[in-house]
Amino acid sequence: MFEKVLIANRGEIAVRIIRACHELGLRTIAVYSEADRAALHVRQADEAYLLGPAPARDSYLRGDKIIDIAKKSGAGAIHPGYGFLAERDDFAQAVLDAGLVFIGPRPSAIAAMGDKAVARSTVTAAGIQVVPGTEGEGDLSDDDLLAIAPKIGFPLLAKATAGGGGKGMREVKSIEEMPGLLEAARREAEASFGDGNVYLEKLIENARHIEFQILADSHGNVIHLGERECSLQRRHQKLLEESPSPFINDELRTQMGEVACAAARAVDYLNAGTIEFLVDKDHKFFFLEMNTRLQVEHPITELVTGIDIVKEQLRIARDRKLRYAQEDIHFNGWALECRINAEDAYNNFLPSTGILNSVIAPSGPGVRVDTGVYAGFEISPYYDALISKLICWGETRGEAILRMRRALEEYRILGVKTNIPFHQHIMDSHRFIAGSFDTRFVEERFSMNELEEEKKHLAKIAAVMAALVTHRESQSASQIVRRNKRDTSNWKWVGRWERMNR
Amino acid sequence: MKYFATIGDKQFEVEIKSDQQIDVDNQQLTADFQSVGDQPVYSLILDGDSYEASIYTTETGIQVLLQGQLFEVQVEDERQQRLRQSSSAPQTRSGDVHIKAPMPGVVIDIPVEEGQEVARGDDVIILESMKMQNEIKAPRDGTVNRLRVKTGESVDQNQILLILS
């Protein structure tokens, strides 16, 4: 069995995987791009090899080079992390063909879940309800769509096949307005993506995005580790996750967990994976998709279950049996994760690049920080904006929120703008505290400019500090022109000094 | 030295009497104000209450980030306030605004044309960077005077993208 693991990733997740390997006594091999020579994962791994130039397609996406390095360095297994090559079945197959272990699912499962149409029909065949719609059924004409629409039921969404970010998307409330809206959606999709095809999907009102972590071993055992609430998103980017979900009770958890395990079995799943569901306001749930890899937000599940998911991944890849049966899984307390991104929360979440001058990470009881950066490291424009994940645990949801507030206030990152103020606003938001939010909360009902009552007095302090800074600047400016202590005039002195520099 | 600090529609009068003594709206306070470690970070102990904030001077005023809250503060001293009040002409912003790239990236889309009128907050350039599409917005109302980039072009940080007049 393998004793050396190559981590085909960078940033915080590479560091996370290195930690798990070292705890299990496995040697680690980092790969890096030219921009990442000084990155934390390179510093912490036992061996490190250069992949190529900074752009991902020349480095972290070079599967052929990565497999080459694995063979030359004697690695027995490759962990892909998330993103980059993690959900590429051709890469997973190439790893196996090279006689190495791929720490993840079988290529066939990645392919089955990666293709929307195949995924939908596979889980439907296993008796699992999917969001009703025509996604993955090919490109349909307006007449076809108009005929299918009443079967799906209104309201529904017309979405661009090639789309994303809400472009080419229209909410349709009735059959009468549908032809006009279809035309508008097609026009917008054509303009944005050069592809005017649209599909229909039932609109789930007040939808929550809830996912289940599953683990499957090579002996046919499949268990779930409970749910994660991921409804707080901005443009389909998750920003904050929690486990458990304030929306799910024990009965629903058992029911959804069983469905999640069934979906995994339907594709003969192996290793760690995540089943995503949309849940409507009546607690009806629909299969959305499966992520066939480790998730960014896996730590919150680790904190409430006490299970180290990455170490379990490594054990599963070594053909060990799962150490837990479903009845051994217990949930203790509450965990929250804030994704700390190099984005200016006050300027439309514009990414911010630069050198981190200073980083003081929060710590203390119940606080975990997963990061791949340090003071002096540069946030480059080549990769995503994730600086770190701040994860807090509490006995109750209330304690976890208060702890997160405390940790966010403690966190000091200088050199780039971050979205920490955004998270602080969320932690102060009454709707968040009450647990009443859905996937549209951040975009439609949340403002960075609203000031909670208890923070109003801070305006005065800010005014005082701004005045003091202005005062300092005018003082130091006046010192420049103040008559010098020397006998000679400053002009004469400057003249001499300039001559010296010739 | 007396300063007038304005946040939104609120104004505070801050008189700095010495390094330790300040009056805020005629209330006497003891202040200890220090910068921290050569960074734009300041620590203020005001009558025993301790605060820390990141403070940035920008073209439009002073930004104070305090306990996760960003305050835009306009500060004037007595002379500046008198000057502004005596000049009867209404404040107009004139001149061109150069919209620069906030980070290196690729121009994905330009939803405006030269000569087009835009309102404050309208998208003028879509720039892709860090795997994200970012909308660059017009900082004020105006007319697109000149486009300095084309769709598909790679740009450096601070490169001028568009001139608004």
Side-chain angles (χ1 to χ4, degrees):
Chain A
M1 213 64 273
F2 59 86
E3 296 301 327
K4 240 179 175 186
V5 177
L6 183 146
I7 296 108
N9 216 302
R10 65 179 298 283
E12 66 87 18
I13 196 62
V15 173
R16 168 73 190 91
I17 296 162
I18 289 170
R19 284 179 168 152
C21 290
H22 285 173
E23 284 179 26
L24 289 174
L26 298 167
R27 268 182 80 79
T28 51
I29 302 167
V31 288
Y32 61 96
S33 73
E34 282 165 9
D36 274 342
R37 170 63 187 88
L40 204 55
H41 74 285
V42 178
R43 293 171 58 190
Q44 291 192 347
D46 298 313
E47 297 174 33
Y49 299 94
L50 179 68
L51 276 172
R57 64 176 180 278
D58 301 323
S59 50
Y60 297 104
L61 289 173
R62 286 291 301 271
D64 53 336
K65 251 189 169 170
I66 289 170
I67 291 170
D68 230 34
I69 291 169
K71 283 200 278 196
K72 278 189 194 139
S73 59
I78 294 181
H79 195 309
Y82 55 69
F84 297 126
L85 298 164
E87 285 172 287
R88 291 261 301 268
D89 59 311
D90 54 342
F91 176 69
Q93 188 60 52
V95 172
L96 300 183
D97 292 346
L100 306 168
V101 175
F102 182 75
I103 303 172
R106 297 180 183 96
S108 57
I110 300 177
M113 285 300 184
D115 183 314
K116 279 252 171 173
V118 177
R120 286 171 67 95
S121 60
T122 309
V123 301
T124 307
I128 294 161
Q129 188 158 22
V130 299
V131 180
T134 65
E135 190 178 16
E137 287 178 19
D139 303 328
L140 301 175
S141 70
D142 279 10
D143 290 341
D144 291 338
L145 293 175
L146 282 163
I148 295 168
K151 286 182 211 152
I152 299 169
F154 295 95
L156 50 78
L157 287 174
K159 282 179 163 179
T161 310
K167 287 241 173 70
M169 188 153 95
R170 286 290 182 283
E171 203 176 311
V172 189
K173 293 197 184 70
S174 67
I175 192 95
E176 288 76 35
E177 62 175 18
M178 201 168 144
L181 290 171
L182 275 181
E183 197 195 320
R186 283 189 194 277
R187 205 182 324 115
E188 201 172 293
E190 180 70 44
S192 303
F193 314 110
D195 175 355
N197 283 307
V198 295
Y199 65 92
L200 300 178
E201 188 179 282
K202 179 152 183 64
L203 174 67
I204 312 282
E205 287 174 283
N206 305 110
R208 283 176 175 252
H209 181 129
I210 290 169
E211 59 183 31
F212 273 72
Q213 175 71 54
I214 66 121
L215 288 177
D217 68 14
S218 53
H219 305 272
N221 302 303
V222 183
I223 60 167
H224 73 84
L225 302 183
E227 81 280 10
R228 290 186 289 257
E229 163 74 63
C230 307
S231 299
L232 281 180
Q233 311 183 346
R234 187 181 165 275
R235 299 189 176 178
H236 305 284
Q237 294 258 27
K238 294 171 191 168
L239 290 164
L240 191 157
E241 300 93 352
E242 62 183 298
S243 181
S245 163
F247 195 63
I248 302 286
N249 58 32
D250 288 344
E251 195 189 332
L252 188 59
R253 178 174 304 114
T254 308
Q255 211 185 335
M256 290 178 76
E258 278 167 11
V259 169
C261 290
R265 281 197 196 94
V267 290
D268 196 14
Y269 200 75
L270 176 68
N271 215 296
T274 297
I275 315 278
E276 298 193 338
F277 294 102
L278 279 183
V279 185
D280 73 9
K281 55 184 188 297
D282 304 318
H283 291 102
K284 267 183 82 178
F285 59 90
F286 305 91
F287 172 88
L288 194 61
E289 61 175 341
M290 179 168 196
N291 292 307
T292 54
R293 55 171 160 83
L294 185 64
Q295 294 278 85
V296 178
E297 59 273 21
H298 74 277
I300 52 175
T301 300
E302 297 186 321
L303 292 191
V304 292
T305 60
I307 294 170
D308 185 325
I309 293 172
V310 182
K311 279 198 326 209
E312 288 309 316
Q313 283 196 294
L314 294 163
R315 287 200 183 93
I316 290 167
R318 299 176 115 186
D319 279 333
R320 301 273 175 80
K321 250 192 180 151
L322 276 179
R323 296 183 299 156
Y324 314 93
Q326 190 63 55
E327 56 269 24
D328 302 327
I329 307 300
H330 302 289
F331 306 101
N332 178 26
W334 215 282
L336 295 172
E337 173 185 276
C338 289
R339 298 191 186 191
I340 310 299
N341 291 336
E343 290 172 346
D344 188 350
Y346 282 101
N347 189 9
N348 200 29
F349 292 86
L350 224 49
S352 174
T353 55
I355 291 175
L356 297 167
N357 296 319
S358 160
V359 178
I360 303 174
S363 62
V367 176
R368 164 172 166 184
V369 180
D370 277 21
T371 185
V373 304
Y374 53 89
F377 190 67
E378 186 179 359
I379 302 288
S380 76
Y382 299 109
Y383 313 110
D384 66 29
L386 187 68
I387 295 175
S388 73
K389 303 185 305 204
L390 173 57
I391 308 122
C392 288
W393 180 88
E395 268 185 72
T396 60
R397 185 166 188 265
E399 190 187 36
I401 291 173
L402 291 172
R403 196 163 260 166
M404 183 60 86
R405 272 194 195 169
R406 183 270 288 177
L408 287 165
E409 182 54 32
E410 240 174 69
Y411 216 152
R412 293 280 186 283
I413 298 173
L414 296 173
V416 298
K417 298 269 173 67
T418 74
N419 64 352
I420 289 176
F422 165 82
H423 289 298
Q424 289 181 299
H425 278 249
I426 289 279
M427 291 299 137
D428 288 344
S429 149
H430 295 301
R431 299 189 70 134
F432 175 74
I433 294 166
S436 65
F437 53 86
D438 58 34
T439 49
R440 294 187 176 192
F441 174 66
V442 174
E443 278 162 46
E444 293 178 5
R445 291 185 294 278
F446 176 77
S447 160
M448 285 298 289
N449 301 318
E450 271 171 37
L451 203 51
E452 297 293 331
E453 201 54 45
E454 53 266 37
K455 290 205 166 171
K456 289 228 160 104
H457 74 282
L458 289 175
K460 184 166 135 185
I461 306 300
V464 169
M465 292 179 108
L468 285 163
V469 165
T470 309
H471 185 65
R472 278 199 172 194
E473 279 170 4
S474 67
Q475 292 282 300
S476 60
S478 63
Q479 256 159 25
I480 294 168
V481 291
R482 195 180 292 161
R483 197 169 169 73
N484 206 298
K485 284 188 182 122
R486 283 182 220 94
D487 315 342
T488 43
S489 97
N490 283 340
W491 288 113
K492 209 175 252 177
W493 194 85
V494 167
R496 285 178 193 159
W497 185 78
E498 276 188 345
R499 239 175 295 155
M500 257 170 53
N501 282 308
R502 255 176 216 160
Chain B
M1 200 62 171
K2 206 182 252 181
Y3 295 91
F4 299 93
T6 313
I7 299 174
D9 52 4
K10 270 205 196 120
Q11 194 177 68
F12 302 91
E13 195 182 302
V14 183
E15 186 171 1
I16 297 166
K17 293 180 159 168
S18 71
D19 276 355
Q20 282 88 38
Q21 284 302 317
I22 61 168
D23 285 5
V24 183
D25 292 341
N26 297 318
Q27 185 193 358
Q28 282 197 11
L29 296 165
T30 311
D32 180 348
F33 189 62
Q34 310 241 330
S35 72
V36 180
D38 270 347
Q39 299 290 336
V41 176
Y42 295 86
S43 164
L44 171 69
I45 302 176
L46 194 64
D47 264 6
D49 292 338
S50 174
Y51 301 95
E52 192 172 303
S54 300
I55 303 180
Y56 308 93
T57 309
T58 68
E59 283 163 25
T60 53
I62 295 176
Q63 293 186 333
V64 180
L65 185 59
L66 177 63
Q67 294 184 17
Q69 199 68 54
L70 186 77
F71 296 94
E72 293 266 2
V73 194
Q74 316 291 329
V75 182
E76 296 171 316
D77 60 27
E78 283 172 292
R79 196 178 59 91
Q80 287 166 324
Q81 195 181 45
R82 269 202 308 277
L83 274 173
R84 189 169 56 82
Q85 282 167 350
S86 62
S87 66
S88 53
Q91 290 266 317
T92 51
R93 272 178 295 182
S94 57
D96 293 345
V97 179
H98 293 215
I99 298 176
K100 295 175 183 166
M103 65 235 151
V106 179
V107 177
I108 294 290
D109 190 20
I110 306 174
V112 295
E113 293 166 7
E114 284 185 8
Q116 188 178 329
E117 301 256 331
V118 293
R120 178 194 157 104
D122 283 357
D123 295 348
V124 289
I125 302 268
I126 313 291
L127 189 67
E128 188 175 271
S129 183
M130 301 175 100
K131 307 199 321 192
M132 294 277 288
Q133 290 195 5
N134 310 287
E135 296 107 16
I136 313 292
K137 294 181 184 298
R140 65 167 171 86
D141 297 351
T143 311
V144 179
N145 187 332
R146 200 122 146 248
L147 281 169
R148 300 281 293 266
V149 289
K150 287 193 288 289
T151 304
E153 199 173 319
S154 291
V155 295
D156 292 327
Q157 188 166 13
N158 288 329
Q159 183 175 335
I160 295 170
L161 304 172
L162 179 149
I163 299 170
L164 197 67
S165 58

